[in-house]
Amino acid sequence: QVQLQESGPGLVKPSQTLSLTCTVSGGSITISAYAWAWIRQPPGKGLEWMGVIGYDGTTFYSPSFKSRTSISRDTSKNQLSLQVTSVTPDDTAVYYCSRVQRVGHYYDYWGQGTQVTVSS
């Protein structure tokens, strides 16, 4: 059973960098059948797709986040990372990591999400 668990600080000050980790268990992040995405949901809004990292480490970002977002991985720890620079209160959201089936592009496993609030 694949499990994903997001972790990181729940409170970040404006202009700082938000850093989150997604720990994956039950399956390797280097399996070619899958990619791994970060998605967020601001309060009262829908899901926002931020970007994805493939089994080989290649990344692709939403144009809305590309200038401030970096997704990376640590294969020795089977972890994914998300960094968002220069955060504002608009970056307040629940952040999720998810596994993506490369065939069909459907999101079959999700973490429970982690709340991040940007406030001074």
Side-chain angles (χ1 to χ4, degrees):
Q1 178 75 7
V2 175
Q3 292 185 320
L4 295 82
Q5 178 66 59
E6 304 90 347
S7 61
L11 180 64
V12 182
K13 295 185 184 300
S15 80
Q16 292 187 341
T17 296
L18 179 165
S19 297
L20 298 176
T21 298
C22 174
T23 300
V24 180
S25 59
S28 172
I29 62 174
T30 62
I31 295 175
S32 62
Y34 311 116
W36 306 84
W38 284 96
I39 301 110
R40 75 180 192 181
Q41 186 168 29
K45 298 184 179 180
L47 295 172
E48 299 180 342
W49 188 88
M50 302 182 70
V52 66
I53 186 165
Y55 71 97
D56 57 355
T58 57
T59 54
F60 184 79
Y61 300 98
S62 164
S64 299
F65 296 100
K66 187 175 183 178
S67 64
R68 299 191 297 127
T69 301
S70 177
I71 297 173
S72 60
R73 64 179 188 165
D74 185 334
T75 56
S76 67
K77 297 179 180 178
N78 219 39
Q79 290 179 335
L80 317 164
S81 295
L82 172 74
Q83 287 195 326
V84 181
T85 61
S86 304
V87 297
T88 72
D90 288 342
D91 292 306
T92 294
V94 177
Y95 286 77
Y96 299 92
C97 55
S98 177
R99 192 179 79 169
V100 187
Q101 294 271 354
R102 293 181 65 224
V103 176
H105 293 177
Y106 63 93
Y107 295 67
D108 58 357
Y109 288 96
W110 292 70
Q112 64 183 23
T114 187
Q115 173 70 47
V116 177
T117 300
V118 179
S119 175
S120 56

